[in-house]
Amino acid sequence: KAGVTQTPRYLIKTRGQQVTLSCSPISGHRSVSWYQQTPGQGLQFLFEYFSETQRNKGNFPGRFSGRQFSNSRSEMNVSTLELGDSALYLCASSLGELASYEQYFGPGTRLTVT
Amino acid sequence: SQQGEEDPQALSIQEGENATMNCSYKTSINNLQWYRQNSGRGLVHLILIRSNEREKHSGRLRVTLDTSKKSSSLLITASRAADTASYFCATGVKGGSGNTGKLIFGQGTTLQVKP
């Protein structure tokens, strides 16, 4: 099976702009989660989607949003970018609920905000 | 603060030696998972141990879980240069009704294996 794919792999944006990141899960996986990884804060959970519904959300401002399509592909959007949004954004897919199944991660999207 | 705290933060050993990393957590868990991350890349799932299990093996990996002490350890035997990476523990914490719970990551241990 193909692994989790994320596009784009690298992105440079300017403060105030918005960005959309894409994630395609492993075939058959209906749960998609997003994480932000920075040197200072480590890996932080953003949100999880299952069958097009957001089931869980981390402690991030409303500028961070996401959605999931009927084919389980997911996108996350960050509006009004800030310098502190520079990070590696990781997407993960799994068979079922977040707390019970192993997560399969994509390679990440490296976002740099200038 | 993070659910999982890992110790040590950094570890440097010679090829062939064993590496042990520890993880402590604060709340009741459904399971505990270990992941590996090579520099700036995605995480790779290594092993999942459920709360009713005490030990699990996978190849050169051995994971123990002590729920009474709220701690886990990951042992890598006969380490290789290719094991150089960051290792993260993650605790699966059940949520309430309609909530699938969370997977909370620790800060990680950076392992360097010298050839």
Side-chain angles (χ1 to χ4, degrees):
Chain A
K1 280 184 180 178
V4 177
T5 58
Q6 291 187 246
T7 56
R9 292 292 311 278
Y10 301 92
L11 207 47
I12 299 175
K13 289 285 188 179
T14 305
R15 263 184 307 176
Q17 289 186 314
Q18 75 164 16
V19 66
T20 299
L21 312 181
S22 182
C23 171
S24 292
I26 290 172
S27 178
H29 286 190
R30 293 164 66 188
S31 169
V32 174
S33 303
W34 289 89
Y35 298 83
Q36 181 196 67
Q37 186 177 30
T38 58
Q41 298 298 318
L43 269 157
Q44 292 191 290
F45 171 73
L46 279 156
F47 28 64
E48 183 218 3
Y49 286 88
F50 185 89
S51 294
E52 303 177 65
T53 301
Q54 187 181 88
R55 290 199 301 194
N56 215 337
K57 192 177 189 306
N59 296 324
F60 278 83
R63 300 185 297 108
F64 291 82
S65 63
R67 60 178 175 169
Q68 187 180 33
F69 301 95
S70 58
N71 61 357
S72 294
R73 190 177 69 85
S74 177
E75 289 181 347
M76 69 162 280
N77 184 77
V78 188
S79 62
T80 319
L81 284 166
E82 300 176 359
L83 294 178
D85 297 333
S86 293
L88 180 66
Y89 289 88
L90 294 163
C91 160
S93 74
S94 71
L95 283 169
E97 61 179 19
L98 196 57
S100 299
Y101 290 84
E102 55 264 42
Q103 304 292 302
Y104 293 85
F105 282 81
T109 294
R110 174 76 61 186
L111 172 64
T112 301
V113 182
T114 61
Chain B
S1 61
Q2 294 278 28
Q3 158 83 320
E5 293 185 2
E6 296 180 61
D7 171 58
Q9 287 189 323
L11 182 60
S12 182
I13 59 174
Q14 295 293 133
E15 219 169 17
E17 294 181 338
N18 294 342
T20 299
M21 289 159 259
N22 303 296
C23 171
S24 60
Y25 57 91
K26 298 174 184 174
T27 64
S28 295
I29 62 171
N30 190 45
N31 61 61
L32 190 142
Q33 304 179 34
W34 286 91
Y35 290 82
R36 183 187 75 227
Q37 184 180 36
N38 290 88
S39 181
R41 302 174 73 175
L43 279 74
V44 174
H45 180 263
L46 295 176
I47 203 162
L48 181 154
I49 185 166
R50 303 196 186 282
S51 58
N52 61 353
E53 297 175 312
R54 291 297 167 258
E55 189 170 311
K56 209 160 182 180
H57 297 254
S58 177
R60 294 184 295 112
L61 306 180
R62 172 179 169 249
V63 168
T64 61
L65 178 64
D66 188 335
T67 53
S68 65
K69 295 181 179 177
K70 291 187 168 56
S71 67
S72 173
S73 67
L74 169 66
L75 168 67
I76 305 174
T77 59
S79 62
R80 306 165 182 169
D83 294 328
T84 294
S86 293
Y87 291 82
F88 295 88
C89 71
T91 48
V93 180
K94 280 280 193 182
S97 174
N99 186 314
T100 63
K102 297 179 181 179
L103 187 63
I104 305 172
F105 285 82
Q107 293 286 356
T109 293
T110 300
L111 172 66
Q112 182 186 30
V113 181
K114 299 175 184 176

